[in-house]
Amino acid sequence: MVKTPRAAVKSEESLAPIPVPTPAPAPTSTHEEHGHAPIVHAEKHAADHLAEASDATAVSSGSESDTPSSAVWTPGTYVLLNAKSGTAVDMSGMDNKTLIGYPMHGGPNQQWEFIPSGRGYIIRCVRRSKDGHPLYLTTETGLHDNAAIVASPYPVTWEVEQTDEGIRISWPNTDFVFDLAEWGSKTAGTKIQLMRLKPGEHCQLWHYTRCAPAADHENKEVEVRSARAVSPPATTETVSVTEERDHITTTRTTTTTTITTVTEVTRMPRWMLQRAGQKSPNRRSIGYRLA
């Protein structure tokens, strides 16, 4: 198992992948040579205690005939780090859509929940959209090399395969896999894309560290509330009189003023404040004077 640094987030008890048990081979017997029925008790005992093949088991174990028994990928919430660059899978804060490689900070936009779906997994970001709906990893331009992986409101299923050097995430029944562009560049903002599998390339493998369940973060994002108050109109009037030789001029000026006050209160969880080095919630008031 590849060890990676743990993200600076609240973590739960580390869960090791569960090995798929392999049935013990049936003992060799010479009873058959003497006309007796073969001994099958040991084989039957192993079969009775063999874990049933779940959807998750089927995803990671592959074909029993040509693939050795491997570990089951455990559903949960993870930070994923590219095996070559060490940068994390990050949903860009610029558009809440683009998937990029970025230095690990363990924030909600770098936390990914793997949800079992058939023989694969839906991958959901812990951070929601600005409208509050969940975002899932998918591709919008079809299956081809360099197709960008993006966050979308529409979920799809991915296949997760565990190897000795990390996990590989692929589009089911194809050889298109998650790939950090430019052969695993460390540059922040490098695109994460689909590429055909290149065995042995670390830019297509991902290390991981498990985080607290995604439910712990729900409804704990930054909360912003605004209030708007409009004062009653205030009216002032100025009258001036000018006397000339043949005329008297009266000038009347009326001014109506309305004051609008907008108050915005930002409430964020303490762990975000500590990471940002702030000591108290950010509160500010803005006043406007309109004529």
Side-chain angles (χ1 to χ4, degrees):
M1 181 58 60
V2 180
K3 297 183 178 179
T4 56
R6 204 169 268 281
V9 294
K10 176 184 176 184
S11 62
E12 63 173 17
E13 181 181 359
S14 177
L15 298 179
I18 307 168
V20 177
T22 303
T28 304
S29 171
T30 59
H31 285 241
E32 195 169 1
E33 298 175 3
H34 299 282
H36 298 287
I39 297 176
V40 295
H41 300 292
E43 183 177 357
K44 182 176 185 304
H45 178 80
D48 289 343
H49 291 80
L50 180 62
E52 296 183 0
S54 65
D55 290 340
T57 303
V59 169
S60 57
S61 63
S63 171
E64 296 180 0
S65 61
D66 56 3
T67 305
S69 173
S70 60
V72 176
W73 177 245
T74 306
T77 304
Y78 297 86
V79 172
L80 302 177
L81 306 173
N82 188 259
K84 183 172 184 180
S85 69
T87 53
V89 177
D90 183 289
M91 182 178 69
S92 173
M94 298 294 292
D95 57 7
N96 278 352
K97 178 179 180 180
T98 305
L99 218 62
I100 59 175
Y102 197 84
M104 183 183 69
H105 54 70
N109 63 320
Q110 289 188 353
Q111 296 182 30
W112 305 95
E113 183 182 8
F114 286 72
I115 305 169
S117 174
R119 295 174 64 88
Y121 298 85
I122 292 170
I123 305 177
R124 180 174 66 189
C125 187
V126 169
R127 171 169 289 175
R128 293 175 174 261
S129 71
K130 294 181 180 179
D131 297 331
H133 58 253
L135 296 169
Y136 307 89
L137 295 190
T138 185
T139 179
E140 295 180 332
T141 59
L143 298 180
H144 57 82
D145 282 340
N146 306 116
I149 299 173
V150 299
S152 163
Y154 305 102
V156 298
T157 299
W158 297 90
E159 183 174 354
V160 179
E161 174 192 1
Q162 285 192 273
T163 74
D164 292 337
E165 298 180 282
I167 64 170
R168 182 180 291 117
I169 304 173
S170 62
W171 192 271
N173 301 318
T174 74
D175 60 352
F176 285 102
V177 300
F178 272 36
D179 176 280
L180 183 63
E182 300 175 20
W183 300 97
S185 171
K186 295 182 179 180
T187 303
T190 300
K191 180 175 74 170
I192 296 176
Q193 60 189 2
L194 282 180
M195 288 291 288
R196 291 190 183 276
L197 173 63
K198 300 177 179 63
E201 286 296 338
H202 285 187
C203 61
Q204 296 183 344
L205 293 171
W206 305 87
H207 299 171
Y208 54 90
T209 183
R210 190 160 186 175
C211 310
D216 289 357
H217 300 282
E218 291 182 0
N219 302 319
K220 293 183 180 180
E221 296 285 342
V222 175
E223 177 185 353
V224 178
R225 291 180 294 175
S226 297
R228 186 172 184 267
V230 180
S231 64
T235 302
T236 59
E237 184 177 90
T238 303
V239 179
S240 62
V241 179
T242 304
E243 295 185 7
E244 301 176 5
R245 180 175 179 181
D246 299 322
H247 302 85
I248 297 176
T249 302
T250 302
T251 302
R252 184 186 302 272
T253 302
T254 302
T255 302
T256 302
T257 303
T258 301
I259 299 176
T260 302
T261 302
V262 178
T263 302
E264 181 182 278
V265 178
T266 302
R267 183 174 181 269
M268 63 180 66
R270 185 176 297 277
W271 62 268
M272 292 186 67
L273 295 174
Q274 291 173 344
R275 183 169 54 220
Q278 299 175 355
K279 300 299 183 181
S280 60
N282 178 27
R283 301 173 183 268
R284 60 194 178 100
S285 298
I286 307 173
Y288 301 91
R289 181 179 297 275
L290 305 176

